Amino acid sequence: MKYFSWSVITIVGFAGSTIAQDLGPSLYNPPKQNFTQKLNHGSNDNTTFQQQYQINTAFFKPGGPILFHQSEEGPLVPLNSSVFTDYAPELGALVATLEHRFFGTSFPAGSAYNNVTTEAYAPLTLGNVMQDSIEFVNWIRQTTPGAENSKVIYTGGSYGGFLTAIALVQHSDTFYGGISGSPGLTSWGLSLTLEDNPFRYGASDWVSNVYYDANYAAALRIKDALNELKMPFQTSSSNLDWSNILNVVLVQQYDEFAQFNFPTKTEIIEIALALEVVINQTLAANSTGELLRAPILMGNSIYNGTGCADWEN
Ligand SMILES: *[C@@H]1O[C@H](CO)[C@@H](O)[C@H](O)[C@H]1NC(C)=O
Ligand SMILES: *[C@@H]1O[C@H](CO)[C@@H](O)[C@H](O)[C@H]1NC(C)=O
Ligand SMILES: *[C@@H]1O[C@H](CO)[C@@H](O)[C@H](O)[C@H]1NC(C)=O
Ligand SMILES: *[C@@H]1O[C@H](CO)[C@@H](O)[C@H](O)[C@H]1NC(C)=O
Ligand SMILES: *[C@@H]1O[C@H](CO)[C@@H](O)[C@H](O)[C@H]1NC(C)=O
Ligand SMILES: *[C@@H]1O[C@H](CO)[C@@H](O)[C@H](O)[C@H]1NC(C)=O
Ligand SMILES: *[C@@H]1O[C@H](CO)[C@@H](O)[C@H](O)[C@H]1NC(C)=O
């Protein structure tokens, strides 16, 4: 992995406090920080809590966009696992991620996961979640030279995809655009066919487009291999459609490599330039088995080029 040196920059913080931050050793992994956020927006109650975030200004050019990931339910989604980090150099963008209130360490003082009372969780409202994002990105705009007029692009996946849709519908004055990842909207449901629910298969279309664009020959080989994979299983007496299950697993692996093609390892993919690597291995494979084994091993945390995949990890 290549390390870059960061200069120490000073950001004038919310409510006049000054946060000096050393942006750490890796271009893709700036340190976590805390933002002082109001617990009950739009009220006289001035109680605050510490909300964790990361900001990466390494690629930012004055006037460039702010690519903002509102982390979903769970701990802070680190910037090194956000596709926005991949977009930043080309767009001259600032990239930021904000932990969701009541997850990770972003709890009000005296409150905790295991203290589930109606009173303690009362500030966990959609309105407050939206306002957290707004306060945070406005603070970035006010404190980052050249970002005053930056357009903000919002993203999140699943529940965060739903938040993206709400942010764009209700707060288009703050959020210029958004990328809603598998939102819990029309894509929900037990639909099994394309006719039933075209949204369900949108991600697979995107994945194959990425591979066709990146390397046409490799994409054709993957397509043939996935088709061939169906055959031996079709005569199985098992009620479970294993070929379909394996297909879903494989497409998901190919999907992740397509999204995280950084020259460094990421939180999700432990192989640098994963898209290039899987394409090279696809082209080098001498059999269907070898071809389809590549993504499974690459997506496995014990991957070292040999051995079998460890399904537990
Ligand atoms: C942010 O504050 C919380 C307490 O509210 C703390 O647990 C966490 O470690 C802090 N994070 C950072 C990066 O300082
Ligand atoms: C909260 O802060 C605002 C602005 O400083 C102030 O007007 C208000 O009185 C404060 N509320 C309480 C309950 O202290
Ligand atoms: C649980 O939350 C309530 C309401 O916020 C608070 O008064 C109480 O001190 C908390 N108890 C613990 C053990 O954290
Ligand atoms: C990604 O960032 C997280 C959070 O800062 C860190 O814990 C993790 O080690 C990083 N992963 C890599 C592969 O650098
Ligand atoms: C993939 O193969 C190409 C052509 O041989 C090579 O230039 C490139 O460095 C390889 N990429 C990786 C990540 O190994
Ligand atoms: C495919 O076969 C060639 C020739 O036997 C060999 O050099 C190459 O290593 C094989 N590819 C893989 C991925 O094993
Ligand atoms: C690679 O991983 C396999 C287990 O899948 C292990 O048996 C083997 O010793 C490892 N090789 C190296 C060089 O670490």
Side-chain angles (χ1 to χ4, degrees):
M1 196 194 293
K2 201 170 175 183
Y3 287 94
F4 298 81
S5 63
W6 287 75
S7 56
V8 176
I9 64 164
T10 302
I11 289 179
V12 180
F14 190 63
S17 66
T18 300
I19 307 163
Q21 53 178 11
D22 174 351
L23 287 179
S26 164
L27 196 54
Y28 299 96
N29 188 24
K32 293 174 184 168
Q33 309 277 338
N34 266 328
F35 179 73
T36 301
Q37 188 74 269
K38 254 185 103 165
L39 185 58
N40 292 295
H41 294 290
S43 82
N44 270 337
D45 173 15
N46 293 329
T47 308
T48 59
F49 70 102
Q50 296 302 304
Q51 194 166 18
Q52 264 192 149
Y53 70 89
Q54 276 182 310
I55 291 182
N56 190 343
T57 53
F59 307 106
F60 182 62
K61 299 206 179 90
I66 294 169
L67 304 181
F68 170 65
H69 185 158
Q70 172 58 65
S71 297
E72 302 79 9
E73 72 282 11
L76 185 78
V77 176
L79 282 185
N80 61 17
S81 66
S82 168
V83 69
F84 273 179
T85 299
D86 212 13
Y87 299 168
E90 198 173 325
L91 298 176
L94 180 153
V95 193
T97 177
L98 179 68
E99 195 164 62
H100 196 289
R101 59 165 56 206
F102 288 81
F103 287 95
T105 67
S106 298
F107 269 87
S111 179
Y113 275 125
N114 55 3
N115 184 16
V116 184
T117 62
T118 306
E119 186 200 356
Y121 276 73
L124 181 56
T125 64
L126 184 57
N128 275 332
V129 171
M130 285 293 137
Q131 200 59 34
D132 288 347
S133 302
I134 293 169
E135 298 293 338
F136 180 64
V137 300
N138 283 342
W139 168 74
I140 292 174
R141 289 206 279 214
Q142 285 156 18
T143 55
T144 309
E148 310 81 56
N149 300 314
S150 287
K151 294 191 164 85
V152 184
I153 309 297
Y154 192 111
T155 199
S158 187
Y159 158 62
F162 162 77
L163 290 179
T164 307
I166 297 297
L168 295 187
V169 169
Q170 294 187 349
H171 303 286
S172 56
D173 45 343
T174 302
F175 304 110
Y176 179 80
I179 299 176
S180 177
S182 53
L185 301 171
T186 40
S187 60
W188 267 355
L190 289 173
S191 54
L192 292 174
T193 66
L194 189 59
E195 292 71 27
D196 226 8
N197 188 346
F199 299 102
R200 192 183 158 102
Y201 295 90
S204 307
D205 288 347
W206 177 81
V207 176
S208 61
N209 285 342
V210 169
Y211 281 80
Y212 278 113
D213 284 351
N215 191 302
Y216 191 74
L220 280 183
R221 289 201 76 182
I222 292 170
K223 180 184 167 213
D224 289 346
L226 289 173
N227 277 335
E228 198 182 317
L229 174 71
K230 282 184 185 162
M231 302 176 71
F233 293 91
Q234 275 171 352
T235 54
S236 161
S237 56
S238 161
N239 285 330
L240 277 174
D241 183 354
W242 285 106
S243 69
N244 189 39
I245 291 169
L246 201 48
N247 194 294
V248 167
V249 170
L250 285 163
V251 170
Q252 192 163 331
Q253 287 299 339
Y254 285 121
D255 183 345
E256 288 183 354
F257 303 148
Q259 291 183 62
F260 302 99
N261 200 37
F262 303 160
T264 177
K265 298 172 176 186
T266 77
E267 189 71 349
I268 294 178
I269 302 297
E270 303 198 5
I271 292 175
L273 291 173
L275 180 64
E276 266 185 56
V277 171
V278 78
I279 284 173
N280 284 359
Q281 293 195 8
T282 298
L283 294 171
N286 293 318
S287 69
T288 301
E290 213 169 80
L291 190 154
L292 295 178
R293 185 167 164 268
I296 293 176
L297 284 179
M298 282 177 60
N300 194 276
S301 60
I302 60 151
Y303 175 75
N304 62 16
T306 68
C308 294
D310 173 1
W311 290 96
E312 302 284 315
N313 291 298

